[in-house]
Tab-separated table of all heavy atoms in Angstrom:
chain	number	residue	atom	x	y	z
Y	243	SER	N	-15.603	-29.614	-13.896
Y	243	SER	CA	-17.065	-29.593	-13.642
Y	243	SER	C	-17.837	-29.059	-14.852
Y	243	SER	O	-19.025	-29.285	-14.985
Y	243	SER	CB	-17.364	-28.702	-12.417
Y	243	SER	OG	-17.128	-27.329	-12.698
Y	244	LEU	N	-17.136	-28.310	-15.749
Y	244	LEU	CA	-17.806	-27.773	-16.926
Y	244	LEU	C	-17.882	-28.777	-18.065
Y	244	LEU	O	-18.691	-28.602	-19.000
Y	244	LEU	CB	-17.023	-26.531	-17.431
Y	244	LEU	CG	-16.931	-25.341	-16.430
Y	244	LEU	CD1	-16.160	-24.230	-17.080
Y	244	LEU	CD2	-18.333	-24.850	-16.026
Y	245	LYS	N	-17.078	-29.812	-18.039
Y	245	LYS	CA	-17.067	-30.773	-19.117
Y	245	LYS	C	-18.314	-31.632	-19.068
Y	245	LYS	O	-18.800	-32.001	-17.972
Y	245	LYS	CB	-15.849	-31.689	-19.008
Y	245	LYS	CG	-14.546	-30.930	-19.265
Y	245	LYS	CD	-13.339	-31.923	-19.130
Y	245	LYS	CE	-12.039	-31.192	-19.349
Y	245	LYS	NZ	-10.869	-32.136	-19.217
Y	246	PRO	N	-18.937	-31.945	-20.222
Y	246	PRO	CA	-20.113	-32.825	-20.237
Y	246	PRO	C	-19.747	-34.201	-19.688
Y	246	PRO	O	-18.682	-34.732	-20.021
Y	246	PRO	CB	-20.498	-32.867	-21.689
Y	246	PRO	CG	-19.258	-32.473	-22.448
Y	246	PRO	CD	-18.568	-31.534	-21.564
Y	247	LYS	N	-20.588	-34.721	-18.835
Y	247	LYS	CA	-20.344	-36.025	-18.251
Y	247	LYS	C	-20.408	-37.121	-19.299
Y	247	LYS	O	-21.384	-37.154	-20.106
Y	247	LYS	CB	-21.303	-36.316	-17.113
Y	247	LYS	CG	-21.121	-35.412	-15.933
Y	247	LYS	CD	-22.080	-35.731	-14.788
Y	247	LYS	CE	-21.844	-34.806	-13.597
Y	247	LYS	NZ	-22.765	-35.084	-12.512
Y	248	ALA	N	-19.448	-37.979	-19.322
Y	248	ALA	CA	-19.417	-39.045	-20.303
Y	248	ALA	C	-20.499	-40.057	-20.053
Y	248	ALA	O	-20.785	-40.433	-18.913
Y	248	ALA	CB	-18.044	-39.743	-20.248
Y	249	ILE	N	-21.189	-40.416	-21.091
Y	249	ILE	CA	-22.252	-41.416	-20.995
Y	249	ILE	C	-21.614	-42.812	-20.893
Y	249	ILE	O	-20.830	-43.192	-21.758
Y	249	ILE	CB	-23.203	-41.390	-22.225
Y	249	ILE	CG1	-23.795	-39.982	-22.344
Y	249	ILE	CG2	-24.246	-42.441	-22.163
Y	249	ILE	CD1	-24.620	-39.789	-23.623
Y	250	SER	N	-21.938	-43.487	-19.836
Y	250	SER	CA	-21.356	-44.800	-19.625
Y	250	SER	C	-21.827	-45.754	-20.673
Y	250	SER	O	-23.032	-45.903	-20.945
Y	250	SER	CB	-21.726	-45.335	-18.246
Y	250	SER	OG	-23.110	-45.412	-18.118
Y	251	LYS	N	-20.873	-46.392	-21.359
Y	251	LYS	CA	-21.205	-47.302	-22.419
Y	251	LYS	C	-21.515	-48.681	-21.830
Y	251	LYS	O	-20.768	-49.208	-20.978
Y	251	LYS	CB	-20.055	-47.427	-23.395
Y	251	LYS	CG	-19.796	-46.107	-24.170
Y	251	LYS	CD	-18.656	-46.313	-25.150
Y	251	LYS	CE	-18.422	-45.014	-25.927
Y	251	LYS	NZ	-17.283	-45.163	-26.911
Y	252	VAL	N	-22.636	-49.277	-22.285
Y	252	VAL	CA	-23.011	-50.629	-21.854
Y	252	VAL	C	-22.214	-51.645	-22.634
Y	252	VAL	O	-22.157	-51.603	-23.841
Y	252	VAL	CB	-24.522	-50.876	-22.080
Y	252	VAL	CG1	-24.899	-52.275	-21.636
Y	252	VAL	CG2	-25.338	-49.826	-21.350
Y	253	LYS	N	-21.543	-52.507	-21.899
Y	253	LYS	CA	-20.784	-53.520	-22.527
Y	253	LYS	C	-21.687	-54.480	-23.319
Y	253	LYS	O	-22.764	-54.885	-22.850
Y	253	LYS	CB	-19.967	-54.348	-21.500
Y	253	LYS	CG	-18.888	-53.530	-20.810
Y	253	LYS	CD	-18.107	-54.400	-19.877
Y	253	LYS	CE	-16.997	-53.590	-19.216
Y	253	LYS	NZ	-16.200	-54.432	-18.236
Y	254	PRO	N	-21.298	-54.834	-24.537
Y	254	PRO	CA	-22.139	-55.779	-25.318
Y	254	PRO	C	-22.289	-57.137	-24.584
Y	254	PRO	O	-21.343	-57.644	-24.014
Y	254	PRO	CB	-21.359	-55.933	-26.644
Y	254	PRO	CG	-19.952	-55.533	-26.304
Y	254	PRO	CD	-20.076	-54.497	-25.240
Y	255	SER	N	-23.527	-57.648	-24.685
Y	255	SER	CA	-23.819	-58.916	-23.974
Y	255	SER	C	-23.353	-60.129	-24.828
Y	255	SER	O	-23.374	-60.084	-26.063
Y	255	SER	CB	-25.312	-59.033	-23.742
Y	255	SER	OG	-25.635	-60.327	-23.272
Y	256	THR	N	-22.884	-61.126	-24.157
Y	256	THR	CA	-22.479	-62.372	-24.843
Y	256	THR	C	-23.618	-63.411	-24.804
Y	256	THR	O	-23.434	-64.543	-25.266
Y	256	THR	CB	-21.242	-62.980	-24.185
Y	256	THR	OG1	-21.537	-63.207	-22.776
Y	256	THR	CG2	-20.048	-62.014	-24.322
Y	257	PHE	N	-24.794	-62.975	-24.285
Y	257	PHE	CA	-25.913	-63.891	-24.133
Y	257	PHE	C	-26.523	-64.251	-25.522
Y	257	PHE	O	-26.850	-63.346	-26.301
Y	257	PHE	CB	-26.954	-63.276	-23.243
Y	257	PHE	CG	-28.248	-64.047	-23.168
Y	257	PHE	CD1	-28.257	-65.398	-22.835
Y	257	PHE	CD2	-29.466	-63.436	-23.454
Y	257	PHE	CE1	-29.432	-66.116	-22.799
Y	257	PHE	CE2	-30.651	-64.134	-23.384
Y	257	PHE	CZ	-30.654	-65.494	-23.012
Y	258	VAL	N	-26.646	-65.501	-25.805
Y	258	VAL	CA	-27.201	-66.001	-27.077
Y	258	VAL	C	-28.173	-67.164	-26.796
Y	258	VAL	O	-27.870	-68.027	-25.957
Y	258	VAL	CB	-26.048	-66.505	-28.032
Y	258	VAL	CG1	-26.702	-67.071	-29.334
Y	258	VAL	CG2	-25.138	-65.380	-28.371
Y	259	VAL	N	-29.342	-67.176	-27.460
Y	259	VAL	CA	-30.296	-68.279	-27.370
Y	259	VAL	C	-30.019	-69.216	-28.537
Y	259	VAL	O	-30.189	-68.833	-29.718
Y	259	VAL	CB	-31.739	-67.799	-27.392
Y	259	VAL	CG1	-32.722	-68.966	-27.316
Y	259	VAL	CG2	-32.003	-66.813	-26.242
Y	260	ASN	N	-29.647	-70.463	-28.221
Y	260	ASN	CA	-29.284	-71.371	-29.328
Y	260	ASN	C	-30.522	-72.020	-29.908
Y	260	ASN	O	-31.629	-71.890	-29.395
Y	260	ASN	CB	-28.254	-72.387	-28.872
Y	260	ASN	CG	-28.773	-73.243	-27.728
Y	260	ASN	OD1	-29.935	-73.671	-27.740
Y	260	ASN	ND2	-27.917	-73.485	-26.744
Y	261	ASP	N	-30.316	-72.768	-30.982
Y	261	ASP	CA	-31.421	-73.408	-31.709
Y	261	ASP	C	-32.156	-74.412	-30.866
Y	261	ASP	O	-33.401	-74.569	-30.952
Y	261	ASP	CB	-30.903	-74.081	-32.971
Y	261	ASP	CG	-30.427	-73.046	-34.021
Y	261	ASP	OD1	-30.896	-71.866	-33.915
Y	261	ASP	OD2	-29.643	-73.406	-34.893
Y	262	ASP	N	-31.452	-75.174	-30.055
Y	262	ASP	CA	-32.110	-76.179	-29.235
Y	262	ASP	C	-33.043	-75.542	-28.226
Y	262	ASP	O	-34.125	-76.049	-27.955
Y	262	ASP	CB	-31.046	-77.003	-28.495
Y	262	ASP	CG	-30.293	-77.966	-29.420
Y	262	ASP	OD1	-30.827	-78.253	-30.472
Y	262	ASP	OD2	-29.173	-78.364	-29.010
Y	263	GLU	N	-32.602	-74.387	-27.666
Y	263	GLU	CA	-33.463	-73.670	-26.690
Y	263	GLU	C	-34.703	-73.115	-27.408
Y	263	GLU	O	-35.836	-73.136	-26.820
Y	263	GLU	CB	-32.668	-72.534	-26.036
Y	263	GLU	CG	-31.588	-73.065	-25.083
Y	263	GLU	CD	-30.619	-71.997	-24.610
Y	263	GLU	OE1	-30.362	-71.049	-25.418
Y	263	GLU	OE2	-30.142	-72.071	-23.443
Y	264	LYS	N	-34.525	-72.594	-28.612
Y	264	LYS	CA	-35.687	-72.096	-29.362
Y	264	LYS	C	-36.659	-73.264	-29.705
Y	264	LYS	O	-37.860	-73.103	-29.604
Y	264	LYS	CB	-35.208	-71.461	-30.683
Y	264	LYS	CG	-34.465	-70.157	-30.498
Y	264	LYS	CD	-33.988	-69.597	-31.879
Y	264	LYS	CE	-33.241	-68.302	-31.667
Y	264	LYS	NZ	-32.728	-67.771	-32.955
Y	265	LYS	N	-36.056	-74.433	-30.015
Y	265	LYS	CA	-36.885	-75.586	-30.320
Y	265	LYS	C	-37.667	-76.054	-29.107
Y	265	LYS	O	-38.812	-76.510	-29.230
Y	265	LYS	CB	-35.968	-76.723	-30.854
Y	265	LYS	CG	-36.726	-77.881	-31.435
Y	265	LYS	CD	-35.742	-78.902	-32.043
Y	265	LYS	CE	-36.532	-80.051	-32.682
Y	265	LYS	NZ	-35.602	-81.058	-33.295
Y	266	SER	N	-37.087	-75.920	-27.923
Y	266	SER	CA	-37.782	-76.331	-26.724
Y	266	SER	C	-39.037	-75.475	-26.511
Y	266	SER	O	-40.080	-76.003	-26.083
Y	266	SER	CB	-36.834	-76.150	-25.515
Y	266	SER	OG	-35.726	-77.031	-25.626
Y	267	PHE	N	-38.926	-74.136	-26.765
Y	267	PHE	CA	-40.111	-73.272	-26.665
Y	267	PHE	C	-41.183	-73.711	-27.641
Y	267	PHE	O	-42.361	-73.796	-27.294
Y	267	PHE	CB	-39.708	-71.810	-26.987
Y	267	PHE	CG	-39.151	-71.050	-25.817
Y	267	PHE	CD1	-37.810	-70.703	-25.760
Y	267	PHE	CD2	-40.000	-70.670	-24.767
Y	267	PHE	CE1	-37.296	-70.024	-24.710
Y	267	PHE	CE2	-39.485	-69.967	-23.698
Y	267	PHE	CZ	-38.125	-69.628	-23.636
Y	268	THR	N	-40.756	-74.007	-28.892
Y	268	THR	CA	-41.732	-74.414	-29.923
Y	268	THR	C	-42.434	-75.699	-29.581
Y	268	THR	O	-43.654	-75.818	-29.685
Y	268	THR	CB	-40.978	-74.572	-31.276
Y	268	THR	OG1	-40.437	-73.312	-31.669
Y	268	THR	CG2	-41.923	-75.054	-32.386
Y	269	ASN	N	-41.672	-76.676	-29.048
Y	269	ASN	CA	-42.238	-77.940	-28.700
Y	269	ASN	C	-43.211	-77.769	-27.521
Y	269	ASN	O	-44.269	-78.433	-27.474
Y	269	ASN	CB	-41.155	-78.953	-28.312
Y	269	ASN	CG	-40.317	-79.364	-29.550
Y	269	ASN	OD1	-40.809	-79.237	-30.666
Y	269	ASN	ND2	-39.101	-79.833	-29.328
Y	270	TYR	N	-42.855	-76.929	-26.542
Y	270	TYR	CA	-43.666	-76.784	-25.342
Y	270	TYR	C	-45.010	-76.143	-25.682
Y	270	TYR	O	-46.074	-76.610	-25.193
Y	270	TYR	CB	-42.937	-75.952	-24.320
Y	270	TYR	CG	-43.698	-75.785	-23.015
Y	270	TYR	CD1	-43.742	-76.848	-22.128
Y	270	TYR	CD2	-44.354	-74.596	-22.740
Y	270	TYR	CE1	-44.478	-76.680	-20.926
Y	270	TYR	CE2	-45.076	-74.439	-21.568
Y	270	TYR	CZ	-45.137	-75.494	-20.672
Y	270	TYR	OH	-45.850	-75.343	-19.505
Y	271	PHE	N	-44.979	-75.056	-26.513
Y	271	PHE	CA	-46.211	-74.326	-26.806
Y	271	PHE	C	-46.931	-74.856	-28.038
Y	271	PHE	O	-48.052	-74.397	-28.294
Y	271	PHE	CB	-45.911	-72.838	-26.980
Y	271	PHE	CG	-45.527	-72.144	-25.724
Y	271	PHE	CD1	-44.220	-71.780	-25.428
Y	271	PHE	CD2	-46.520	-71.847	-24.757
Y	271	PHE	CE1	-43.901	-71.134	-24.252
Y	271	PHE	CE2	-46.176	-71.219	-23.569
Y	271	PHE	CZ	-44.842	-70.866	-23.287
Y	272	GLY	N	-46.299	-75.795	-28.759
Y	272	GLY	CA	-46.982	-76.338	-29.950
Y	272	GLY	C	-47.166	-75.261	-30.998
Y	272	GLY	O	-48.119	-75.349	-31.789
Y	273	ALA	N	-46.272	-74.271	-31.029
Y	273	ALA	CA	-46.321	-73.215	-32.055
Y	273	ALA	C	-44.897	-72.752	-32.271
Y	273	ALA	O	-44.009	-72.875	-31.421
Y	273	ALA	CB	-47.192	-72.052	-31.565
Y	274	LYS	N	-44.646	-72.195	-33.461
Y	274	LYS	CA	-43.275	-71.737	-33.775
Y	274	LYS	C	-42.998	-70.434	-33.024
Y	274	LYS	O	-43.378	-69.341	-33.419
Y	274	LYS	CB	-43.134	-71.554	-35.284
Y	274	LYS	CG	-41.663	-71.260	-35.674
Y	274	LYS	CD	-41.570	-71.308	-37.199
Y	274	LYS	CE	-40.122	-70.934	-37.648
Y	274	LYS	NZ	-39.122	-71.865	-37.094
Y	275	VAL	N	-42.285	-70.551	-31.918
Y	275	VAL	CA	-41.986	-69.406	-31.024
Y	275	VAL	C	-40.757	-68.659	-31.604
Y	275	VAL	O	-39.754	-69.275	-31.924
Y	275	VAL	CB	-41.722	-69.835	-29.596
Y	275	VAL	CG1	-41.319	-68.659	-28.696
Y	275	VAL	CG2	-42.962	-70.528	-29.023
Y	276	ASP	N	-40.922	-67.312	-31.682
Y	276	ASP	CA	-39.784	-66.508	-32.209
Y	276	ASP	C	-39.066	-65.874	-30.989
Y	276	ASP	O	-39.663	-65.201	-30.158
Y	276	ASP	CB	-40.337	-65.378	-33.104
Y	276	ASP	CG	-39.245	-64.578	-33.753
Y	276	ASP	OD1	-38.118	-65.137	-33.902
Y	276	ASP	OD2	-39.462	-63.389	-34.070
Y	277	VAL	N	-37.739	-66.144	-30.874
Y	277	VAL	CA	-36.925	-65.590	-29.789
Y	277	VAL	C	-35.865	-64.686	-30.381
Y	277	VAL	O	-35.061	-65.162	-31.253
Y	277	VAL	CB	-36.256	-66.740	-28.997
Y	277	VAL	CG1	-35.426	-66.137	-27.849
Y	277	VAL	CG2	-37.303	-67.695	-28.465
Y	278	LYS	N	-35.842	-63.373	-29.962
Y	278	LYS	CA	-34.844	-62.416	-30.442
Y	278	LYS	C	-34.053	-61.828	-29.272
Y	278	LYS	O	-34.650	-61.477	-28.256
Y	278	LYS	CB	-35.504	-61.283	-31.236
Y	278	LYS	CG	-36.088	-61.762	-32.562
Y	278	LYS	CD	-36.664	-60.599	-33.345
Y	278	LYS	CE	-37.197	-61.092	-34.720
Y	278	LYS	NZ	-37.791	-59.936	-35.486
Y	279	VAL	N	-32.728	-61.735	-29.412
Y	279	VAL	CA	-31.854	-61.164	-28.365
Y	279	VAL	C	-31.050	-60.012	-28.956
Y	279	VAL	O	-30.377	-60.174	-29.997
Y	279	VAL	CB	-30.899	-62.235	-27.794
Y	279	VAL	CG1	-30.033	-61.618	-26.718
Y	279	VAL	CG2	-31.677	-63.436	-27.271
Y	280	ALA	N	-31.101	-58.827	-28.297
Y	280	ALA	CA	-30.352	-57.639	-28.744
Y	280	ALA	C	-28.898	-57.723	-28.216
Y	280	ALA	O	-28.586	-58.574	-27.373
Y	280	ALA	CB	-31.028	-56.375	-28.256
Y	281	GLY	N	-28.064	-56.768	-28.727
Y	281	GLY	CA	-26.652	-56.746	-28.331
Y	281	GLY	C	-26.430	-56.490	-26.852
Y	281	GLY	O	-25.394	-56.854	-26.301
Y	282	ASN	N	-27.371	-55.799	-26.218
Y	282	ASN	CA	-27.220	-55.529	-24.759
Y	282	ASN	C	-27.786	-56.638	-23.892
Y	282	ASN	O	-27.816	-56.479	-22.650
Y	282	ASN	CB	-27.896	-54.208	-24.418
Y	282	ASN	CG	-29.419	-54.215	-24.746
Y	282	ASN	OD1	-29.934	-55.218	-25.163
Y	282	ASN	ND2	-30.034	-53.064	-24.545
Y	283	GLY	N	-28.215	-57.769	-24.525
Y	283	GLY	CA	-28.675	-58.894	-23.745
Y	283	GLY	C	-30.171	-58.919	-23.533
Y	283	GLY	O	-30.742	-59.864	-23.022
Y	284	LYS	N	-30.865	-57.800	-23.888
Y	284	LYS	CA	-32.314	-57.761	-23.789
Y	284	LYS	C	-32.921	-58.440	-24.985
Y	284	LYS	O	-32.350	-58.462	-26.045
Y	284	LYS	CB	-32.807	-56.337	-23.651
Y	284	LYS	CG	-32.309	-55.624	-22.410
Y	284	LYS	CD	-32.846	-54.171	-22.348
Y	284	LYS	CE	-32.338	-53.443	-21.091
Y	284	LYS	NZ	-32.877	-52.043	-21.019
Side-chain angles (χ1 to χ4, degrees):
S243 71
L244 298 180
K245 294 180 180 179
K247 293 182 179 179
I249 300 173
S250 58
K251 294 182 179 180
V252 179
K253 292 183 179 180
S255 173
T256 57
F257 172 54
V258 176
V259 178
N260 59 43
D261 290 339
D262 288 339
E263 290 169 328
K264 291 179 181 179
K265 190 174 181 180
S266 295
F267 276 109
T268 298
N269 292 338
Y270 181 77
F271 289 105
K274 188 171 176 60
V275 176
D276 186 25
V277 180
K278 291 183 178 179
V279 181
N282 59 3
K284 296 180 181 181

